[in-house]
Amino acid sequence: MNRKNTVLHYVISICTAIISLVLQVTAIVYLRTGLYNEAETAFLLSYALIAVVLLYLYFICHLVNKIRIKAKNHSITFTRMATSLARDYDGIYYINTEDDSYVEYGVTDDDDETLRLVSSGDNFYTDAEKNIKDSVCDEDKQKMLKILSKENIENAMNNNDVLHEYFRIFVDGVERYHNLKVIQGHGVEEKYIVVGIRDVDAQKRREIEMKSAAEEGITFGKIAQALASGYEVLYYVDLETDEFYEYCASEEYSKLDIGSHGTDFFGTSQRNMERGDIYPEDYPMMAAAMERESFINSMQTRGFLSLTYRLMLNDLPEYVNLRAVFPKNDDKHVVIGVININEAMQREREYKQQIDNVMNLANRDALTGVKNKNAYNNLEAELNKQITNESKPEFAIAICDVNNLKQINDTRGHKAGDAYIREACMMVCRVFKHSPVYRVGGDEFVVVMRGDDYDNRNALLTELRTQVEINKEEGGIVLACGLSTYNEHKDISVAEVFERADYEMYKNKKILKSTQD
């Protein structure tokens, strides 16, 4: 019940009480005038209204009290949650990004259910710099000064990044590992930054010990080191006996139900793939790669194996990468890790799509929508490379030049000229419908014919020139066109073919002008 509704209920109660009083006065007046029946009725109605008001007020008070108790319980619950989370940290700093002031909170009493204010300051970054210089290990000072600089934190928050870093602090004269975490506030709290620092000395030293064990050749040390690289599933396989152990770090991958230990790694892998763990299109490749002799030969030849394929997880294909390596100084065993790269592959596809879009825009003529001179230059370079490599490409080039464009621009304006160019382009595209068309100048188009258009090049040229003659009579688009075919015995570059086509186009232009005059 909100404040507005509560006031409304009280107003109704007061109005009802007033009506009851009016009835009381009316009853007294009736008594004095001898109207005893009417007086009795008025008294009864008055008492009934008073009873209703009392019950109504009791109900309202009970409801308000219940809501207050519920709100208090919610507040206690959220306080306990915040306190429980805060117990993981030695210090939590709440930084106001508007003026860099800060407040430090902590839990100082194990039985206390509230966060306590530990300290505060006017400038977090200045105080952080002083604390780093006073208490952080010398090897980590420069790193932490850079990480906790105002510029670095603001850049990270602007990019929606979360900062994580390990560093060492002297506590009672002893180095202890700590972890720093910096996050942006959300919603109305976005003007704040939260910095958490916690003691992770025991955890970090265990990691160091495991890494050291891996360097000494201890199996579980090797597995831990591989897990640290982000693998979802790990296998430790004895290549002499095919016995294997599986270590699964993700619930999704454990649902594959491969088992944590087995005696026939390659046979088990093949059976798992056959039952549908692998995306069907990738199954043949993986079945061949994970065949025992093929796998061992690849490992002995290269020393490692890397395979990217799609695994069926939750009935959806996700890209994963399998990497296999020999442990240090041990070619009798192999560590195989599977890492999920689905997000990375999606980002790569999105990035490629963006690049393709940009390249497409860079190679498109804005006025006509056909390819531009830059795209033609790329194709010319590709064809020249084929000619140099003696690939003997089959192609022909047609050059089309629009007539009367200057006259249209001068008499009817450039908008009319642009429309004339677009119509001319559409005419060329309709004739050479299977070939790329390039606008290489203001009124010049190039067609590179291959395939069907190459085989029918002379007929297509005749079709275009016939249409031009019709257009001349009807006042339509007029353009000159010349064609030349690549001669593998004579031409050493595309430029020579282009020059012959250009010469033929000018010959056609002269004919058109003479007949027009």
Side-chain angles (χ1 to χ4, degrees), residues 21 27 42 46 54 61 82 225 258 331 356-357 402 408 442 459 463 507:
L21 290 174
S46 172
L54 291 175
C61 291
Q225 189 177 18
I258 297 171
D331 61 357
D356 290 343
N357 291 340
V402 182
I408 292 173
E463 179 185 341
K507 282 173 57 178

Side-chain angles (χ1 to χ4, degrees), residues 70-87:
K70 185 176 181 181
K72 182 179 179 181
N73 289 338
H74 275 294
S75 176
I76 292 172
T77 299
F78 283 114
T79 299
R80 287 173 176 170
M81 289 171 63
T83 305
S84 298
L85 291 173
R87 290 185 190 280

Side-chain angles (χ1 to χ4, degrees), residues 277-456:
D277 288 352
I278 301 292
Y279 188 62
E281 291 182 10
D282 298 336
Y283 171 73
M285 178 270 294
M286 286 301 296
M290 295 306 292
E291 192 273 327
R292 188 177 189 278
E293 290 186 8
S294 174
F295 180 90
I296 293 176
N297 286 338
S298 296
M299 292 297 299
Q300 290 176 343
T301 302
R302 291 180 290 176
F304 72 95
L305 182 65
S306 179
L307 300 168
T308 296
Y309 59 100
R310 283 161 291 185
L311 196 62
M312 296 303 296
L313 297 172
N314 298 323
D315 297 325
L316 293 174
E318 292 196 13
Y319 279 96
V320 297
N321 179 253
L322 179 148
R323 299 176 186 175
V325 295
F326 287 120
K328 188 176 179 180
N329 301 323
D330 181 0
D331 61 357
K332 305 299 182 185
H333 299 84
V334 65
V335 176
I336 302 173
V338 177
I339 186 171
N340 191 311
I341 59 169
N342 199 58
E343 289 187 8
M345 293 292 287
Q346 288 178 348
R347 287 196 299 269
E348 184 177 341
R349 287 197 297 271
E350 290 171 0
Y351 177 72
K352 184 179 182 301
Q353 182 63 48
Q354 292 172 359
I355 293 296
D356 290 343
N357 291 340
V358 171
M359 291 302 296
N360 185 51
L361 290 174
N363 290 323
R364 287 286 171 186
D365 175 56
L367 178 63
T368 62
V370 297
K371 297 182 179 183
N372 59 18
K373 188 173 183 179
N374 181 61
Y376 174 76
N377 290 338
N378 292 336
L379 178 62
E380 181 180 8
E382 179 186 332
L383 289 173
N384 280 333
K385 187 175 180 181
Q386 293 179 22
I387 292 171
T388 302
N389 294 335
E390 298 183 353
S391 298
K392 299 179 182 180
E394 280 191 341
F395 69 93
I397 290 178
I399 298 178
C400 303
D401 188 88
V402 182
N403 285 10
N404 307 322
L405 181 61
K406 185 177 185 306
Q407 180 183 354
I408 292 173
N409 283 333
D410 292 342
T411 58
R412 295 164 54 190
H414 285 282
K415 286 188 176 180
D418 289 346
Y420 194 80
I421 290 172
R422 284 193 291 268
E423 290 179 20
C425 178
M426 291 172 62
M427 178 178 169
V428 174
C429 291
R430 280 195 297 269
V431 174
F432 302 99
K433 59 175 64 75
H434 301 299
S435 299
V437 178
Y438 303 83
R439 185 186 178 204
V440 297
D443 55 1
E444 189 174 36
F445 296 90
V446 174
V447 183
V448 180
M449 286 168 279
R450 305 168 92 171
D452 290 343
D453 279 4
Y454 174 82
D455 295 336
N456 301 302

Side-chain angles (χ1 to χ4, degrees), residues 216-286:
E216 295 171 4
I218 299 175
T219 300
F220 286 98
K222 297 168 188 172
I223 297 299
Q225 189 177 18
L227 278 173
S229 301
Y231 290 100
E232 304 287 352
V233 184
L234 287 163
Y235 304 96
Y236 185 72
V237 184
D238 187 323
L239 294 180
E240 293 185 337
T241 65
D242 290 353
E243 184 180 10
F244 70 94
Y245 290 89
E246 179 198 8
Y247 303 87
C248 188
S250 168
E251 183 180 352
E252 281 187 328
Y253 290 82
S254 65
K255 290 177 182 177
L256 296 176
D257 193 28
I258 297 171
S260 59
H261 175 257
T263 57
D264 181 13
F265 174 76
F266 296 101
T268 302
S269 297
Q270 293 291 342
R271 288 191 292 274
N272 290 334
M273 288 188 288
E274 287 174 3
R275 74 182 184 187
D277 288 352
I278 301 292
Y279 188 62
E281 291 182 10
D282 298 336
Y283 171 73
M285 178 270 294
M286 286 301 296

Side-chain angles (χ1 to χ4, degrees), residues 50-75:
I50 290 173
V52 169
V53 169
L54 291 175
L55 288 172
Y56 192 54
L57 287 174
Y58 172 78
F59 169 75
I60 292 171
C61 291
H62 178 72
L63 185 59
V64 169
N65 187 55
K66 186 176 180 180
I67 292 172
R68 286 176 178 171
I69 292 172
K70 185 176 181 181
K72 182 179 179 181
N73 289 338
H74 275 294
S75 176

